[in-house]
Amino acid sequence: MYVDGSGEWYDDLSDNQPDWYWENVPFTKVVFSETLKSIGECAFKSAEHLESVIIPEGIERISYGAFYNCTSLKTVKISSSVCCIEDYAFYNCTSLSDVYLTDLNAWFDIEFTTSNLNFTGHPLSYATSLYLNDELLTDIIVPDGVTEVKKHAFYGYDGYFNLDLNDVETVNDFAFYDCAGLDKVYISDSFKTLGWNSFKGGCGINELHIRDLASWCNVHVYGNNSLIRNNDLYLNGNMVTELVIPDDVTEIKSHVFEGLSEKITKLVIPPSLKKIGSYAFGNAYGDLDVYISDLKSYCEIEMSGILFNREYDARLYLNNEMITELVLPKEITKVNDKVFCNFYYLSEFVIYNDDIELFDNSFPSPNQLYSEDKKIICNKKSAADTFYKNKNFVVEYFDQITVDEMTIALNNIYNVKDIFFAHGYYYSYRDIKNNLEYGLTSAKLGDNNYYSYNATKIGAYSVLIRYNDGRAKLFFASVDANEPTFTPNGMQLKVGNLEGVKVIRTAYGDYNTVAEIKRGESARAFTSKDVLANVTEYTVQYRNEGLVSVAVCYENGYSVIYKYEVVKKSPIMKQTNNTVSFEKLDDLKVIRYAMGEYQTSSQIKNAEGSISVSSSKINADSVSFTLDKGRYTFCVQYNDESYNYYVVNVE
């Protein structure tokens, strides 16, 4: 059939059949005049023999129902001039398998108009193959400069493809809805908005690749999407199994991690985080351990909804230790709504601040907790006491014990017989005596009604007070102090978390106390008055191999002993005739060599004809040198200051 004419085709045949229909003349192809600007409404409705359509340059709009119910239509070619495809344009074209484009840029410019939420006449709705200039597209890369994917752009496309969104900032509603063959999606750090149902329906996504986790946390997601739902998440090409939110992130917007893959079992929340949107981690596919390093900042996070679905178990870790007893020190003045709502492994909530601000869902309800021992421990008539008195929690009181870093203070103690301190949780006099760290009698206490004990370890302490009248009270105190971190690296040991440090002592040998290290072989000390002033980490450099003992002592009296076997890093050196090679060069700093025999790296460096090769010039884990006849000295130096010298003769 030949269609002649120019300009807009305004005929509306939605309620009637076109003239050709009554002629009952079958046609398999339509040829359009190049002067035509649009295809009229329902122009080829129910053309049951039509098999192929080429939309030529010049046509800008395919109107409502233009190819409605063309059940034999197999191929459609769409030119770059098309800028609008209306609803029902290709509705019920059940044989349509191949769509050909001439310009991918132009395709991303097309407006798909519809009066409904769903688009019911998309040319890709039935297609299984999409071609660009006759080449099958299996990798759709959004052209440079395209920042928006419009509504319904690939609605219902069933063909297999990977999608690189390139510079795209916004994917609008239903853009990739029901794309069953969509396998991998790549998103840049410029991405900002994910429209309603843009990747929902029967999307077959297996992998989501992002480049910047912080920018992804800030994406606006409207409604449910399948972009991340139980799909493997990749960050810069590496599959994520531990989701570590970057330190500079202050907000995680709604839905961005909804349906988190069951392969992700760990979530690390930084102290910088202030807000978590609704369903940010909703509908997670499995159990998830949550790691925090700052309890106060976590308590103050504003949550628009519960952190996780109730049917999954979430365990809370504070500084890498699982928490079952939640101890809230005095500096915590507020526990926001829902922040602990889904941590059912918690059992006790110890609250030291009398004026703390609490909400109905700050903690799980008692019937949700796994432990049989479910209680609030606080001061009598405090805010926590008033708040939880009628919420089915057992409320217990303490009004005699306070903790300040390593100091456990007992107040208002009268008529005392003796006091015992044991590190750990113990519930009987016998167990406390068997694990006693310190004890005192009334004779040592004298007339004082106050006593403070400087603990030697961090963690829980059991404190038993026995009175002269036969009564006894058992308290639990949680002692917290800065815990140093140790990162060994060959001839170096990096010590971190040094806030409040007093001194670091180290000596070669196996020692178990600070005093022994101080007296040890080649003992050295680094103090807060010199190299440790205003630093949070310090690297101790060793010159010899062997076992060293290290003591980190803090101003509050807490100390930690660490032992490390210092091992020099060395390469594998080989010589074949006049070729010298070195392998195992991970963490290399530089290789220097010169003709002659030398004792130090400086001598080699200053020698005539000396050659230096830094790690940046070595692309692999090995390097080879071809030498002239003579005697050479090589120095292989690593970043940890391991020096290795080799004298080589070349005949």
Side-chain angles (χ1 to χ4, degrees):
M1 176 178 285
Y2 292 89
V3 179
D4 198 7
S6 62
E8 296 285 347
W9 181 351
Y10 287 112
D11 291 347
D12 181 359
L13 302 172
S14 56
D15 295 327
N16 300 290
Q17 293 292 350
D19 291 341
W20 58 260
Y21 181 84
W22 306 110
E23 298 293 334
N24 199 25
V25 177
F27 57 92
T28 59
K29 182 178 180 180
V30 177
V31 178
F32 295 94
S33 167
E34 293 184 356
T35 57
L36 199 62
K37 293 293 185 185
S38 64
I39 301 174
E41 293 189 7
C42 296
F44 299 96
K45 178 181 177 182
S46 298
E48 60 183 16
H49 298 288
L50 180 61
E51 295 181 358
S52 67
V53 172
I54 297 176
I55 311 296
E57 288 292 339
I59 291 182
E60 298 173 357
R61 187 179 75 256
I62 303 173
S63 298
Y64 176 92
F67 298 96
Y68 185 103
N69 203 35
C70 293
T71 54
S72 296
L73 183 61
K74 297 177 182 177
T75 63
V76 174
K77 185 172 184 179
I78 299 175
S79 69
S80 62
S81 62
V82 174
C83 58
C84 179
I85 299 178
E86 295 184 356
D87 204 4
Y88 288 94
F90 292 89
Y91 180 76
N92 205 35
C93 294
T94 53
S95 298
L96 179 56
S97 60
D98 301 327
V99 175
Y100 291 79
L101 307 178
T102 61
D103 187 325
L104 197 57
N105 265 83
W107 180 260
F108 282 100
D109 236 7
I110 293 177
E111 295 284 348
F112 295 90
T113 63
T114 175
S115 58
N116 304 312
L117 284 177
N118 295 328
F119 192 73
T120 51
H122 202 294
L124 292 178
S125 290
Y126 304 99
T128 55
S129 299
L130 178 64
Y131 297 84
L132 179 63
N133 294 320
D134 298 326
E135 183 177 342
L136 180 66
L137 284 177
T138 55
D139 290 301
I140 297 178
I141 302 175
V142 179
D144 293 345
V146 175
T147 60
E148 179 180 9
V149 179
K150 295 186 177 180
K151 292 182 180 180
H152 308 95
F154 290 84
Y155 184 97
Y157 177 49
D158 277 345
Y160 171 86
F161 69 105
N162 298 314
L163 174 66
D164 188 340
L165 289 171
N166 204 358
D167 298 332
V168 168
E169 297 178 2
T170 300
V171 174
N172 281 297
D173 301 353
F174 295 95
F176 296 94
Y177 183 88
D178 209 18
C179 289
L182 178 53
D183 185 21
K184 301 174 184 176
V185 179
Y186 296 83
I187 288 179
S188 75
D189 51 11
S190 61
F191 193 75
K192 291 182 174 62
T193 305
L194 196 62
W196 181 268
N197 283 334
S198 51
F199 285 91
K200 208 187 173 188
C203 274
I205 302 169
N206 292 309
E207 297 179 8
L208 171 63
H209 292 255
I210 62 177
R211 300 176 192 170
D212 183 77
L213 195 56
S215 64
W216 176 256
C217 290
N218 201 40
V219 170
H220 290 273
V221 180
Y222 292 93
N224 297 329
N225 265 281
S226 298
L227 193 54
I228 201 168
R229 188 177 299 276
N230 205 22
N231 304 321
D232 292 341
L233 178 64
Y234 286 78
L235 179 61
N236 292 315
N238 298 311
M239 190 171 78
V240 177
T241 57
E242 296 182 358
L243 185 59
V244 181
I245 306 300
D247 287 338
D248 56 347
V249 171
T250 59
E251 180 179 0
I252 300 175
K253 286 194 163 49
S254 299
H255 301 285
V256 293
F257 295 107
E258 183 176 3
L260 202 64
S261 168
E262 61 183 2
K263 294 180 182 178
I264 298 177
T265 58
K266 181 177 179 179
L267 169 65
V268 180
I269 294 179
S272 61
L273 195 62
K274 305 298 182 188
K275 185 176 181 180
I276 299 178
S278 61
Y279 287 95
F281 299 94
N283 301 308
Y285 281 82
D287 299 341
L288 197 61
D289 294 335
V290 181
Y291 285 72
I292 61 176
S293 59
D294 187 294
L295 186 59
K296 187 175 189 297
S297 65
Y298 180 78
C299 288
E300 294 176 356
I301 292 176
E302 179 185 340
M303 293 192 183
S304 299
I306 59 173
L307 191 59
F308 305 103
N309 289 48
R310 295 181 183 277
E311 59 264 30
Y312 294 107
D313 286 334
R315 289 165 290 271
L316 180 65
Y317 289 77
L318 176 60
N319 295 319
N320 296 319
E321 291 190 10
M322 182 179 169
I323 300 299
T324 55
E325 180 192 50
L326 182 62
V327 179
L328 303 176
K330 277 195 173 183
E331 60 265 24
I332 294 181
T333 59
K334 179 180 182 180
V335 181
N336 256 334
D337 203 25
K338 305 179 183 69
V339 292
F340 296 106
C341 186
N342 294 96
F343 294 108
Y344 304 143
Y345 285 97
L346 296 174
S347 59
E348 293 183 2
F349 304 88
V350 183
I351 303 172
Y352 285 99
N353 192 304
D354 290 348
D355 300 316
I356 194 167
E357 184 178 2
L358 298 164
F359 297 84
D360 283 341
N361 293 305
S362 292
F363 306 133
S365 61
N367 64 316
Q368 294 173 315
L369 298 175
Y370 295 152
S371 173
E372 294 182 0
D373 187 17
K374 311 163 187 178
K375 56 188 175 184
I376 302 289
I377 303 175
C378 59
N379 276 325
K380 196 169 187 178
K381 297 183 179 180
S382 66
D385 179 27
T386 304
F387 193 87
Y388 285 106
K389 186 171 290 183
N390 299 315
K391 293 186 180 296
N392 297 319
F393 271 105
V394 174
V395 179
E396 293 186 356
Y397 304 120
F398 57 81
D399 56 4
Q400 293 178 300
I401 188 166
T402 59
V403 179
D404 183 11
E405 291 188 343
M406 300 297 293
T407 302
I408 302 173
L410 302 176
N411 305 284
N412 302 316
I413 48 176
Y414 298 95
N415 197 29
V416 169
K417 178 182 178 182
D418 44 32
I419 303 174
F420 304 98
F421 297 86
H423 184 257
Y425 286 108
Y426 304 103
Y427 298 91
S428 69
Y429 170 73
R430 176 181 294 179
D431 288 341
I432 291 174
K433 284 284 287 182
N434 288 338
N435 295 277
L436 188 65
E437 184 173 291
Y438 184 74
L440 73 157
T441 65
S442 58
K444 188 169 184 178
L445 185 63
D447 295 331
N448 296 317
N449 59 8
Y450 168 88
Y451 184 78
S452 63
Y453 173 64
N454 290 326
T456 61
K457 302 173 184 176
I458 63 172
Y461 271 81
S462 300
V463 182
L464 178 64
I465 303 176
R466 297 197 304 173
Y467 297 89
N468 290 322
D469 61 5
R471 293 180 299 115
K473 280 191 176 182
L474 177 62
F475 300 96
F476 296 107
S478 180
V479 174
D480 193 13
N482 208 21
E483 186 78 5
T485 60
F486 300 94
T487 307
N489 180 32
M491 304 293 288
Q492 295 176 340
L493 178 65
K494 182 189 290 184
V495 186
N497 282 351
L498 296 180
E499 296 86 351
V501 71
K502 181 179 181 181
V503 63
I504 297 176
R505 297 188 182 277
T506 183
Y508 282 89
D510 187 358
Y511 305 111
N512 297 312
T513 68
V514 177
E516 289 176 350
I517 295 174
K518 185 177 180 179
R519 297 190 299 268
E521 179 186 352
S522 304
R524 290 184 291 163
F526 312 94
T527 73
S528 58
K529 295 179 180 179
D530 44 53
V531 296
L532 301 184
N534 302 316
V535 301
T536 58
E537 62 180 33
Y538 182 75
T539 299
V540 181
Q541 181 71 56
Y542 295 96
R543 295 302 178 190
N544 302 311
E545 293 186 303
L547 179 67
V548 295
S549 299
V550 183
V552 182
C553 307
Y554 292 88
E555 296 286 357
N556 60 14
Y558 181 56
S559 61
V560 174
I561 305 293
Y562 180 79
K563 298 176 184 180
Y564 171 50
E565 188 72 39
V566 178
V567 179
K568 184 173 74 171
K569 294 184 178 181
S570 300
I572 299 174
M573 181 269 196
K574 298 178 182 177
Q575 180 181 358
T576 305
N577 298 325
N578 66 334
T579 299
V580 175
S581 63
F582 296 94
E583 300 175 359
K584 195 179 174 184
L585 299 179
D586 183 46
D587 200 34
L588 176 73
K589 184 176 183 180
V590 66
I591 297 177
R592 291 192 175 96
Y593 71 94
M595 184 175 288
E597 189 166 346
Y598 306 98
Q599 303 298 318
T600 68
S601 177
S602 296
Q603 291 175 353
I604 298 174
K605 183 177 180 181
N606 295 324
E608 183 178 353
S610 173
I611 294 176
S612 297
V613 180
S614 66
S615 61
S616 62
K617 298 178 181 179
I618 299 175
N619 295 325
D621 193 38
S622 63
V623 65
S624 297
F625 302 93
T626 302
L627 306 174
D628 295 331
K629 182 178 179 180
R631 188 175 179 84
Y632 297 83
T633 302
F634 282 82
C635 176
V636 181
Q637 180 184 351
Y638 291 83
N639 286 319
D640 71 333
E641 302 301 319
S642 292
Y643 291 84
N644 300 268
Y645 295 93
Y646 304 89
V647 178
V648 174
N649 287 312
V650 177
E651 300 295 335

